[in-house]
Amino acid sequence: MIELNSTITCPECGNSKTEQMPTDACQYFYECTFCGALLKPLPGDCCVYCSYADVPCPPIQQKGSCCNGR
């Protein structure tokens, strides 16, 4: 079963927020609701959830590969 909720943690301020991940596309940008930092995936990751959250994105959970085919 795929988990759709993931807690993303801002590396700038440490604030965490649980969000529902999209199932039809990677989320490449995420703006921290506390400090306003614009997060982008780390090198080698397909989305911000794979880089900064406690649960990877649905395509990684389901297929074991990134949304963008990496």
Side-chain angles (χ1 to χ4, degrees):
M1 187 167 177
I2 295 176
E3 178 64 42
L4 296 179
N5 291 320
S6 189
T7 302
I8 191 164
T9 302
C10 177
E12 298 293 321
C13 70
N15 190 54
S16 296
K17 185 174 181 185
T18 300
E19 300 279 5
Q20 186 169 357
M21 296 180 283
T23 58
D24 58 347
C26 288
Q27 185 165 338
Y28 194 77
F29 297 106
Y30 179 84
E31 185 175 350
C32 177
T33 57
F34 186 75
C35 75
L38 186 62
L39 308 184
K40 293 188 283 187
L42 296 172
D45 286 341
C46 62
C47 67
V48 292
Y49 291 102
C50 289
S51 293
Y52 305 106
D54 62 346
V55 177
C57 68
I60 292 286
Q61 294 179 57
Q62 187 175 33
K63 299 182 288 188
S65 64
C66 291
C67 321
N68 61 10
R70 287 189 201 173

